């Protein structure tokens, strides 16, 4: 394992801001954004890129599987320094994680108070003042929950691409549609694009496919229902670190490497035109309530599984 868990050494390389890819990962609460983000960050690092992951959640647990502990937040550090930015050094807020990924946790206001969007802005401001914001090939923002206001959408102000983590369910796709709407809104002011959807731990993708027919957007990857993905979060390790001792898990890492390769290829992305809420509600609910179409899909799936079992034997 190459997890150091310590503070990152000061970076001396100065990258061109234009060459830095900035990603914002969104999705319904509990859908697996942080687990997905950490594994994508390592996949990008495995492709030779210098990566910074910024957790944008007051729970400050985005980078837990990279560092192995809850690192101090930007807000914690600023409070200790009495908000004197000049007294903060990169090693005070940037921690080295597994695979060489640098980690920052923005933190946030106390529960029920303040605005998380303000904290994201302060985090970016501090990293810029430390000349750290432009010293990476890729910066990944791991953002809490659905977009319900401008504060939640704040990381999109700094991103080139948004990626939405979903599953094959109603609620996650409903949230994805709202996130797509915020991408369209933010794209009015800067060249933001939606890179695509990432299906996480889902046995089927029929509802995902139904949605993207109505709201065209790429599907970067669909990860099957792999229990080790959930277990990795509990263990406080990424799939890449687990695969060091369990080589049978390397095939799971390939899903994340595929996503990384698509991002590094510079996808055109889309500015989605979201489906109106009531229309989407009917679209997704009708899929469950119309037995003919669902039954036909299930019959096809069963037939494919039967063929696979016979050929495997």
């Amino acid at each position: 394992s190459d997890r150091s868990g310590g503070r990152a050494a000061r970076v001396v390389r100065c990258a061109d801001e234009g060459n830095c890819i900035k990603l914002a990962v969104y999705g319904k609460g509990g859908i697996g954004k942080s687990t997905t983000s950490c594994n994508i960050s390592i996949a990008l690092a495995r492709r030779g890129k210098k990566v910074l992951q910024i957790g944008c959640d007051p729970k400050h647990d985005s980078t837990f599987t990279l560092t192995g502990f809850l690192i101090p937040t930007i807000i914690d550090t600023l409070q200790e320094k009495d908000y004197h930015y000049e007294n903060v050094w990169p090693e005070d807020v940037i921690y080295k994680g597994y695979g060489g990924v640098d980690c920052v946790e923005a933190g946030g206001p106390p529960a029920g108070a303040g605005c998380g969007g303000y904290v994201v802005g302060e985090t970016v401001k501090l990293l810029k003042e430390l000349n750290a914001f432009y010293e990476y090939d890729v910066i990944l923002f791991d953002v809490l929950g659905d977009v319900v206001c401008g504060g939640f959408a704040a990381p999109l102000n700094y991103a080139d691409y948004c990626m939405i983590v979903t599953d094959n369910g109603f609620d996650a796709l409903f949230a994805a549609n709202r996130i797509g709407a915020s991408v369209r809104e933010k794209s009015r002011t800067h060249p933001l694009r939606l890179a695509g959807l990432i299906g996480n731990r889902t046995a089927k993708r029929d509802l995902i496919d139904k949605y993207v027919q109505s709201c065209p957007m790429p599907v970067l990857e669909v990860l099957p229902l792999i229990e080790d993905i959930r277990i990795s979060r509990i263990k406080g390790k990424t799939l890449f670190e687990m695969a060091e001792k369990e080589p049978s898990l390397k095939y799971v890492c390939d899903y994340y490497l595929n996503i990384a390769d698509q991002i590094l290829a510079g996808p055109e992305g889309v500015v989605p035109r979201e489906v109106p809420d009531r229309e989407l509600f009917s679209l997704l609910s009708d899929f469950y309530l119309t037995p003919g179409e669902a039954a036909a899909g299930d019959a096809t799936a069963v037939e494919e599984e039967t063929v696979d079992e016979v050929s495997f034997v």
Side-chain angles (χ1 to χ4, degrees):
S1 171
D2 56 354
R3 183 206 298 235
S4 65
R7 299 183 178 184
R10 188 176 307 182
V11 183
V12 295
R13 184 172 68 89
C14 184
D16 180 0
E17 178 186 356
N19 293 331
C20 177
I21 302 172
K22 302 179 187 69
L23 310 170
V25 179
Y26 279 83
K28 185 181 80 70
I31 202 67
K33 293 181 298 297
S34 294
T35 300
T36 302
S37 295
C38 290
N39 283 291
I40 291 175
S41 289
I42 296 176
L44 290 162
R46 291 284 171 92
R47 294 307 192 219
K49 302 303 177 183
K50 184 166 185 60
V51 182
L52 172 67
Q53 180 167 321
I54 302 176
C56 304
D57 190 327
K59 297 195 307 295
H60 61 95
D61 60 349
S62 166
T63 58
F64 172 65
T65 58
L66 289 169
T67 62
F69 68 106
L70 297 178
I71 65 176
T73 70
I74 292 280
I75 294 301
D76 290 339
T77 304
L78 286 175
Q79 287 176 342
E80 289 178 5
K81 305 286 185 176
D82 200 24
Y83 288 90
H84 287 287
Y85 285 71
E86 68 276 10
N87 294 333
V88 180
W89 296 90
E91 52 266 34
D92 292 329
V93 293
I94 302 174
Y95 287 73
K96 184 70 68 177
Y98 174 82
V101 176
D102 282 352
C103 303
V104 166
E105 291 285 354
C115 175
Y118 169 78
V119 174
V120 172
E122 289 298 297
T123 296
V124 172
K125 174 184 174 182
L126 175 61
L127 292 174
K128 285 182 175 180
E129 290 195 9
L130 295 174
N131 292 320
F133 195 67
Y134 305 127
E135 294 172 347
Y136 294 90
D137 300 307
V138 183
I139 296 176
L140 186 151
F141 295 90
D142 174 21
V143 191
L144 73 167
D146 187 6
V147 175
V148 294
C149 69
F152 280 67
L156 293 176
N157 293 327
Y158 311 101
D160 302 306
Y161 294 108
C162 174
M163 297 187 291
I164 303 175
V165 182
T166 184
D167 60 19
N168 199 51
F170 181 101
D171 292 332
L173 288 168
F174 204 85
N177 192 62
R178 289 186 58 84
I179 296 164
S182 68
V183 170
R184 180 175 59 80
E185 185 63 31
K186 294 294 183 180
S187 70
R188 301 177 191 274
T189 58
H190 74 285
L192 169 68
R193 294 292 183 269
L194 175 64
L197 295 178
I198 300 171
N200 185 47
R201 298 188 67 244
T202 180
K204 296 181 180 180
R205 58 176 292 169
D206 46 5
L207 199 55
I208 293 174
D209 292 336
K210 186 76 172 178
Y211 171 66
V212 299
Q213 287 176 7
S214 298
C215 185
M217 62 181 64
V219 178
L220 300 175
E221 187 60 274
V222 177
L223 286 87
L225 194 59
I226 301 171
E227 183 65 6
D228 288 293
I229 295 177
R230 186 185 67 84
I231 292 175
S232 69
R233 184 72 174 168
I234 299 171
K235 288 185 174 181
K237 296 181 179 181
T238 63
L239 270 299
F240 287 85
E241 185 171 3
M242 289 172 61
E244 290 183 356
K245 295 183 178 179
E246 301 176 60
S248 62
L249 294 177
K250 288 185 177 179
Y251 83 98
V252 187
C253 301
D254 289 340
Y255 288 104
Y256 301 109
L257 289 166
N258 179 40
I259 297 169
D261 289 340
Q262 292 181 68
I263 293 299
L264 294 177
E268 182 177 349
V270 297
V271 176
R273 182 156 295 278
E274 74 280 5
V275 181
D277 284 349
R278 288 181 176 81
E279 183 180 330
L280 179 62
F281 194 94
S282 297
L283 174 75
L284 298 180
S285 58
D286 286 351
F287 188 84
Y288 287 109
L289 299 176
T290 306
E293 185 176 346
D298 289 343
T300 302
V302 170
E303 182 179 342
E304 289 176 352
E305 289 177 5
T306 302
V307 172
D308 289 342
E309 287 176 5
V310 172
S311 60
F312 180 79
V313 173

